[in-house]
């Protein structure tokens, strides 16, 4: 299996009420509680996707980050089967699970129930961008760049995928953090692209801790 | 029907839509307002929570939830029965 030169073509971080694209601040709304912040992100970027409002916070974070990550990319050049999505977090869908559990004391909410799995987030992103490649949502105690690098590199090296969005989408109440990177096999080796390495993923994750 | 439209917007989290945007006879699903199957379940919850009405026959759903007017008619008919 030939080792390919995989590159990080783009990155998006959402942390501490700030959105970063390729390490640059593209939006911030300090002081807002998470639901209001997520609404302000939607309004700021003037998206037209009413389904967003129905998503839980985990899916909103993942969907918004993917939207910003892929803005200006030429991801559509790949066949849908060749674009994958590998996400991870620490709290699975616990944020929504607890909200849903509260509703079961009266009348259980179907709209909340459908978000009581973390991989619904991957589904929302795949539906939006019509991705049909390998996708998975892993739950770890903490961010594991080594696992992400190894897993995604394997998918690229064995030609399962040509491109992959991978990273971390985590939320529990007001505590949240998102890092998504777009990785392309034999990708853009231009001046702005970084090699897809464990260290570079870790650096992106640590860069905007706040 | 204006109050019912407000309740539908709130229950279904239709934040880009105002009550006046929804026609009384506008289809709610597919080509109309674009609601889906989960929204249908939320409408059933709305009837239970706000009006104490249980949809007794699931097959009535498409007829009852065709438009705001058909929901209002169903509520009126069944509230009278409860009373």
């Amino acid at each position: 299996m030939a080792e390919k030169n995989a590159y990080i073509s783009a990155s998006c971080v959402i942390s501490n009420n700030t959105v970063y694209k390729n390490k640059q601040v593209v939006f911030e709304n300090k002081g807002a509680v998470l639901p209001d912040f997520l609404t302000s992100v939607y309004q700021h970027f003037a998206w037209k996707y009413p389904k967003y409002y129905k998503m839980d916070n985990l899916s909103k974070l993942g969907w918004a980050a993917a939207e910003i990550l892929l803005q200006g990319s030429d991801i559509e050049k790949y066949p849908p089967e060749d674009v994958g999505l590998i996400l991870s977090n620490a709290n699975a869908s616990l944020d929504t699970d607890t909200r849903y559990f509260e509703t079961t004391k009266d009348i259980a909410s179907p709209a909340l129930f459908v978000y009581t799995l973390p991989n619904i987030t991957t589904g929302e992103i795949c539906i939006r961008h019509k991705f049909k490649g390998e996708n998975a949502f892993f739950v770890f105690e903490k961010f594991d760049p080594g696992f992400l690098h190894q897993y995604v590199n394997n998918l690229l090296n064995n030609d399962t995928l040509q491109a992959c969005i991978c990273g971390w989408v985590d939320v529990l109440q007001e505590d949240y953090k998102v890092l998504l990177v777009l990785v392309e096999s034999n990708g853009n080796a231009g001046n702005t692209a970084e090699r897809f390495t464990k260290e570079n993923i870790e650096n992106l994750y640590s860069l905007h801790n706040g | 029907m204006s109050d019912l439209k407000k309740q539908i917007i709130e229950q279904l989290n239709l934040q880009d839509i105002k009550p006046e945007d929804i026609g009384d006879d506008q289809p709610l699903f597919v080509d109309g307002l674009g609601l889906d199957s989960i929204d249908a379940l939320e409408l059933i919850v709305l009837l239970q929570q706000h009006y104490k009405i249980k949809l007794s026959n699931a097959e009535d759903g498409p007829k009852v939830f065709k438009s705001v007017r058909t929901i209002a008619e169903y509520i009126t008919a069944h509230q009278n029965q409860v009373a």
Side-chain angles (χ1 to χ4, degrees):
Chain A
M1 191 163 66
E3 187 82 7
K4 294 185 177 172
N5 294 320
Y7 284 86
I8 296 172
S9 307
S11 67
C12 178
V13 171
I14 305 178
S15 174
N16 197 25
N17 283 29
T18 308
V19 181
Y20 304 85
K21 168 90 182 270
N22 298 335
K23 303 179 188 175
Q24 304 297 315
V25 175
V26 290
F27 177 70
E28 64 180 358
N29 182 7
K30 298 287 186 187
V33 294
L34 181 57
D36 294 344
F37 170 69
L38 288 168
T39 299
S40 69
V41 172
Y42 179 90
Q43 290 166 342
H44 173 79
F45 289 99
W47 293 320
K48 300 289 178 204
Y49 201 78
K51 176 94 192 289
Y52 180 87
Y53 290 121
K54 299 186 181 194
M55 296 177 196
D56 68 345
N57 287 342
L58 183 69
S59 286
K60 279 180 183 168
L61 282 165
W63 190 94
E67 205 66 16
I68 293 158
L69 180 81
L70 296 172
Q71 195 173 29
S73 80
D74 53 357
I75 194 79
E76 59 281 349
K77 72 183 176 189
Y78 297 113
E81 294 79 10
D82 288 359
V83 183
L85 192 58
I86 307 297
L87 303 182
S88 57
N89 79 4
N91 288 295
S93 56
L94 187 59
D95 188 62
T96 299
D97 297 347
T98 50
R99 290 175 211 276
Y100 172 71
F101 180 70
E102 286 301 312
T103 72
T104 62
K105 293 170 183 170
D106 181 17
I107 300 174
S109 164
L112 276 177
F113 175 73
V114 294
Y115 286 100
T116 55
L117 281 173
N119 58 340
I120 301 301
T121 305
T122 58
E124 292 288 8
I125 297 169
C126 288
I127 288 167
R128 165 69 179 92
H129 297 281
K130 300 182 175 61
F131 299 147
K132 294 180 180 172
E134 169 114 354
N135 69 76
F137 200 119
F138 294 95
V139 180
F140 298 118
E141 276 187 40
K142 59 181 185 175
F143 183 61
D144 188 342
F147 174 86
L148 281 177
H149 174 256
Q150 187 183 30
Y151 195 92
V152 172
N153 225 21
N154 192 42
L155 292 170
L156 296 171
N157 283 333
N158 68 19
D159 291 327
T160 301
L161 299 176
Q162 289 193 65
C164 187
I165 294 159
C166 69
W168 181 259
V169 184
D170 194 35
V171 62
L172 188 60
Q173 298 177 348
E174 285 292 312
D175 219 359
Y176 66 92
K177 172 93 184 221
V178 182
L179 163 66
L180 291 188
V181 296
L182 171 61
V183 184
E184 294 179 77
S185 151
N186 295 317
N188 173 16
N191 294 334
T192 56
E194 292 179 87
R195 286 288 305 275
F196 179 56
T197 63
K198 176 190 164 187
E199 291 71 26
N200 283 338
I201 311 169
E202 194 155 27
N203 288 341
L204 283 167
Y205 181 84
S206 307
L207 197 61
H208 307 298
N209 276 334
Chain B
M1 269 191 279
S2 178
D3 284 347
L4 180 58
K5 289 176 187 175
K6 284 181 196 161
Q7 288 164 357
I8 290 171
I9 287 168
E10 190 180 335
Q11 187 82 24
L12 305 185
N13 218 356
L14 306 172
Q15 292 190 21
D16 280 344
I17 294 174
K18 298 185 185 72
E20 55 268 31
D21 296 335
I22 307 174
D24 294 351
D25 297 302
Q26 180 185 357
L28 296 178
F29 290 85
V30 197
D31 293 334
L33 203 55
L35 303 187
D36 60 22
S37 57
I38 301 302
D39 295 319
L41 293 172
E42 284 292 338
L43 289 175
I44 293 170
V45 171
L46 185 153
L47 289 183
Q48 281 186 240
Q49 272 179 334
H50 288 269
Y51 301 99
K52 312 293 177 207
I53 294 171
K54 283 194 176 182
L55 194 68
S56 48
N57 186 357
E59 289 177 3
D60 291 340
K63 206 165 55 185
V64 174
F65 297 130
K66 190 177 171 193
S67 67
V68 174
R69 188 187 301 279
T70 58
I71 298 174
E73 287 170 353
Y74 187 81
I75 292 169
T76 305
H78 287 75
Q79 272 191 324
N80 289 342
Q81 279 180 15
V82 171

